Amino acid sequence: PEPEPSITVLYREQRRMAIRAAKTLLRSGKLSPTQKQRFIAYFFCGKSISEIARNEKTYRMKVWRGLRSITRLLQCGELVR
């Protein structure tokens, strides 16, 4: 069954806000080149933490911690204001 129109509108709005926040973060200058690369690989290209770590020849935990800190920046909302 198709979701209700109001639910569809909410999903679209949430997605739009998430993309806006991500773009703002990428342009903010708060991320290092490595963080930007990981952010794009994980959130936009859909690569796993293991794939990113393998490509960078580093530990998964290191990638995970970096992505977690980026996620916290996105969640705090200060970038979107």
Side-chain angles (χ1 to χ4, degrees):
E2 297 263 335
E4 290 185 37
S6 59
I7 301 276
T8 303
V9 170
L10 284 174
Y11 286 150
R12 283 186 192 147
E13 181 63 16
Q14 287 175 338
R15 180 170 169 74
R16 187 184 66 76
M17 288 176 62
I19 290 171
R20 190 172 112 210
K23 285 180 179 179
T24 302
L25 177 62
L26 288 170
R27 294 180 186 140
S28 72
K30 293 187 177 193
L31 300 180
S32 70
T34 301
Q35 287 175 315
K36 281 184 182 182
Q37 181 180 338
R38 289 176 181 170
F39 179 85
I40 292 168
Y42 187 77
F43 289 103
F44 289 112
C45 298
K47 292 191 176 189
S48 70
I49 291 172
S50 295
E51 288 174 307
I52 296 167
R54 191 172 30 252
N55 289 341
E56 295 181 9
K57 295 178 176 66
T58 190
Y59 297 104
R60 288 183 317 130
M61 185 59 74
K62 192 172 183 178
V63 173
W64 179 81
R65 284 184 182 145
L67 289 171
R68 184 178 64 175
S69 69
I70 293 170
T71 302
R72 285 183 181 154
L73 280 174
L74 283 170
Q75 288 174 339
C76 75
E78 68 186 42
L79 296 166
V80 183
R81 293 186 186 139

